[in-house]
Amino acid sequence: MMKTYVWALILPLTAVALAPSATQLDVGRRQFLTAVVASTGAASGVLANTSPSGAFDVGGKLVFGDEEIMSKKAHGTSEQPVQSDLLYEVDVSLADKICNFNRHFAERAGYFRYTNWEDIVLASDQPVTFYDSVTGKPLFQAPIGRSKESFVEESRVHGWPSFRDSEVVWENVRVLSNSGETVSVSGTHLGHNLPDRRGNRYCINLVSIAGKPWASSA
C-alpha cells in the first residue's frame, strides 16, 4: 500500500508542471458552454449532469466499508463493465480497467485537464452531480460550500478531482478502513482518501465518476 500513497502524492506535483496553464485553455469553448447552459435549463441538466434538489442526500460523516465490497464478481470487482457512452470525453477502455480490475493505481495526474470536465463544471450555475461509471448511481456532488473555481483549483493542485465530506453521497460510497481506498458500494474503484489539514480529501479518478444516471439508479 505504501507504493500507492507515494505515487498519489508525487504525481500531482508533476501534473502542475506538465499541464497547460489556465491562459492556455480553450476559452472560446468554455464561453460557448456557459452561454448554452445559461440559455436553457434542459441543456444544463445534460451538460452539467445536475440532479433535482432532494433526490438524494449529500454530505455527512465518513462511512467506512470492509474488504468484502471489493470481492471478485462477474466483471472484476463489479457485476458489469462501465457504461459505453461515458461523459467528459474519457477513455472507456481505461475507465473499465481502473474501475473494475484495479485496486491501487490511477489515471495519470492531470488527466481531467485534457477532457471537457473543467469546462462543464465552470459553465454550470449549480453543483454538478457525478455518477458511477458502472452503475449510474450518484457518488459526489460539487461544489458544495465553496466556489466552482475553488473546486477546480484544488483538483488542479492535486492532479485529480478532489472532493470533501460535504460533497459525498454516502449511501453509495465507502472508504476501506485498512487502506483509505474509496469505492462505490457496488465495487467500483474510485480513488483514495488523502486527508490534509482541512480534513478528508477524496482524490478520485475522473474515469470512475463519468457515468450517466440510469433509470434503475434514480
Side-chain angles (χ1 to χ4, degrees):
M1 299 310 301
M2 182 63 68
K3 179 179 179 181
T4 300
Y5 286 108
V6 171
W7 188 30
L9 291 172
I10 291 177
L11 277 181
L13 300 179
T14 306
V16 173
L18 296 179
S21 67
T23 58
Q24 294 173 310
L25 296 175
D26 187 350
V27 177
R29 182 175 65 170
R30 180 169 300 158
Q31 290 175 336
F32 171 75
L33 279 169
T34 301
V36 171
V37 171
S39 64
T40 169
S44 177
V46 174
L47 293 174
N49 224 6
T50 55
S51 176
S53 177
F56 47 81
D57 293 328
V58 184
K61 294 183 178 180
L62 183 157
V63 180
F64 287 108
D66 57 39
E67 187 66 26
E68 180 62 25
I69 296 173
M70 301 300 284
S71 62
K72 183 175 176 58
K73 302 180 183 70
H75 189 77
T77 57
S78 299
E79 293 295 347
Q80 68 257 0
V82 298
Q83 299 172 14
S84 61
D85 54 349
L86 295 174
L87 300 174
Y88 311 118
E89 304 172 340
V90 303
D91 183 274
V92 173
S93 177
L94 176 64
D96 199 53
K97 291 176 182 177
I98 288 179
C99 290
N100 297 320
F101 299 95
N102 164 64
R103 301 292 305 281
H104 309 297
F105 298 105
E107 65 198 18
R108 69 181 184 273
Y111 175 82
F112 71 87
R113 300 203 68 186
Y114 300 93
T115 71
N116 62 10
W117 182 81
E118 285 190 9
D119 294 327
I120 290 174
V121 170
L122 293 173
S124 179
D125 60 358
Q126 56 187 305
V128 178
T129 301
F130 300 95
Y131 295 89
D132 191 320
S133 291
V134 177
T135 67
K137 292 181 178 180
L139 301 176
F140 302 93
Q141 190 175 82
I144 293 179
R146 55 176 167 169
S147 69
K148 55 191 177 184
E149 291 79 12
S150 176
F151 170 47
V152 169
E153 180 58 27
E154 180 175 50
S155 299
R156 287 179 182 175
V157 169
H158 294 292
W160 290 270
S162 296
F163 301 91
R164 297 292 174 169
D165 286 333
S166 61
E167 298 168 328
V168 184
V169 181
W170 286 112
E171 65 182 281
N172 297 324
V173 176
R174 295 291 184 269
V175 176
L176 304 190
S177 57
N178 64 340
S179 64
E181 182 182 4
T182 303
V183 303
S184 77
V185 294
S186 58
T188 306
H189 173 82
L190 304 177
H192 283 81
N193 177 25
L194 300 173
D196 58 18
R197 65 176 182 272
R198 292 177 51 205
N200 294 314
R201 178 176 61 82
Y202 305 97
C203 192
I204 304 299
N205 293 289
L206 178 59
V207 297
S208 299
I209 55 171
K212 294 180 179 179
W214 285 355
S216 59
S217 66

